Amino acid sequence: MSVRTLIAAAIVLAGCHLDPASAPPRRCETGRPLAGAAAFPDEIARRIQDTRVPAEAHASKSARCNRLVLEPSPFALRHSVDPVDWRAWSPEVLAEAEQHKRPLLVLSGSSAADVPASFLGRKGRRRRVAHQINSQVIPVLVDRDERPDVDAYLMQATEVLTGGGGWPAVVFLEPHGGPFAAYSWGAAGAGEKDFATVVEQTLRHITLAGTPAERADATFEKMQKRVAIDSSGPLPDAAGVAASLTGYLAASYDAAAGTFGPPPLFPRAPALSFLLHVEGERERPLARQMAFSVLEKLGASALEDPAGGFFRYARGAGWHEPAEGKPLADNAALASAFLEAAEIGNRQDLREDARRIVDFLMTDLRLADGAFAVSITRTAPAAAERNDAVLADANALAISALIRAARVLGEPRYADAAKAAAAFVDTHLRSGDRIRHCVYRDGRACGSSDGYLSDHALVALAYLDLDAAFGNDWLARARTIADALPARFEHASSGGFFQTASDGELLPLRWKPVLDTNVPSGNGAAALLYERLAARTGEQRYGEICRRTLAAFSNVLALRPLAAPSLVTALGEWSRIYPRAPGAADAASVPPQLEPAPAVHP
């Protein structure tokens, strides 16, 4: 028997142990309805039958596909062979829930923060739970990278209902969109229940008590009150706010560990950037010492993957127990912080830390057409379980980081990469004064057709950086975006910007994002945009929009600056342009009030 024959026989005998990703592609099966579900409409059934089981679902032995197999999202495709009749979020799904008077079960997560493959339980229980879901509710899956507006609404509901938040999360909504039950696997103290148990308990309650409409109304009312709080007022003194924020950060600073506050720990690039630019003679030495120390510890911590890039957060003290996902936005913002520190402190070690992050962007997240993918997980080989969606706001942060890297590190290839990514954004994600949030690398649209506040503000800021580095009319494009933003996003009565546009897909609630995470909030980015346009052009109207935005969050700046370092930075920059602006509060009127670090969700 030849060696070739022996090898072939061995492969046949060991076929069940082949890597699923290398197994022959299978066609989807739609011969009978999923347990408890109605048959697919004919057109959907035909489309599914013409589709192959996606590589993301090859770990499953099943080839019975649900509607998610028609979606491009890797998070959706991972769940495309679940026995649940999942739908992607859309206005049509809400209309279906209203028509059938059935509540919605909405699972929100991402390919980097997914529920485990066994989330429905073992085989017998799996079918029972799927039957309950399909027969009693409308099951919906939300990719939070593609639909941050829907995800933010669901996370606000989760916080009101459970006292905490984090991903993945499941939220039950009345047909009109009011939330009445939720569970988060990222919330403090949560995670002890599996998905199947949460679903069974909630559906049992619905069966016994009827759909809890009263609780949904009460929850929605609390959510409305949270987002309707008026934080506007006279602008506080910039130096006083900066001193307060420095003090708050110092109070939670652990010098030995190089961290702020207890776990979970996030790098919080906007706070690091603020510390690097504090101007007060008294605060500056402490502020920079903290920033340099945190960055030094980060550069030598487990939060940096030996394979390249930084994970989003750490579950344990001292930057231990890193999470799986390595998002583009977080890494780009952190690269900028390392580069700022390297430039300010003339630190070669920080330059090398920054270089490793930027090279990770270039090797692991850069797509063939020059744009950058959303994220990659620790376990995935390069370009394999990677989410190839292209997000406008995340790519804008990458463009700005690459421009700074080209200058600080003296690497022209980084400038070329910034130009290529900018060309993709300008061609595929911009249409006049509007920015789309998300497309796939092949040009297919993903998520909502509407861009969000952070997309517009961060892309315009990246255009300003491009103009400063290369010229070529990028300033005019930034102004086009900035000039149109207030009419669609600004809150007319009290200032500040909503996350979603007035003429876009409307959710039950609109709110003004102000909390910084590892990246600036939408309003922090908007304030910085208009301040920098005012400085660049000398036009008072941009300075006035910046002032209105800052004034809309006067109480946040005065009493909770730890929540919004990017707004504090914008206030400082604006005050240097308009040092004697009327209506600024006296520094003595800003009471010192130490507060715990704001919650940032895993």
Side-chain angles (χ1 to χ4, degrees), residues 254 256-263 265 297-298 300-303 314-322:
D254 182 338
T259 60
F260 296 112
L265 298 169
K297 292 293 196 299
L298 275 170
S301 75
L303 203 69
R315 300 182 182 92
W319 302 114
H320 294 303
E321 300 177 54

Side-chain angles (χ1 to χ4, degrees), residues 489-530:
F489 288 87
E490 193 175 21
H491 190 178
S493 60
S494 62
F497 292 87
F498 290 107
Q499 183 184 23
T500 54
S502 58
D503 58 353
E505 180 186 330
L506 295 180
L507 294 175
L509 206 61
R510 290 180 83 201
W511 58 91
K512 296 184 280 189
V514 69
L515 172 67
D516 288 346
T517 54
N518 283 343
V519 299
S521 70
N523 274 285
L528 288 166
L529 168 64
Y530 288 105

Side-chain angles (χ1 to χ4, degrees), residues 148 152 268-271 273 312 329 333 393-394 396-397 452-459 461 485 489 496-500 511-530 532 549-550 552-553 556-557 560-571 598-600:
R268 300 189 68 199
S273 182
R312 183 166 181 260
D393 50 3
L397 288 167
Y452 306 107
L453 171 61
S454 61
D455 295 311
H456 290 80
L458 288 171
V459 166
L461 279 168
L485 203 61
F489 288 87
F497 292 87
F498 290 107
Q499 183 184 23
T500 54
W511 58 91
K512 296 184 280 189
V514 69
L515 172 67
D516 288 346
T517 54
N518 283 343
V519 299
S521 70
N523 274 285
L528 288 166
L529 168 64
Y530 288 105
R532 290 172 187 176
T549 306
L550 294 169
F553 304 102
V556 174
L557 288 164
R560 300 186 62 241
L562 197 55
S566 60
L567 272 183
V568 179
T569 298
L571 175 63
V600 181

Side-chain angles (χ1 to χ4, degrees), residues 41 44 152 163 165 213 216 233 240 252 304 337 370 424 427 450 455 495 498 600:
I44 290 177
S252 64
E304 183 175 14
F424 183 97
T427 301
D450 307 306
D455 295 311
F498 290 107
V600 181

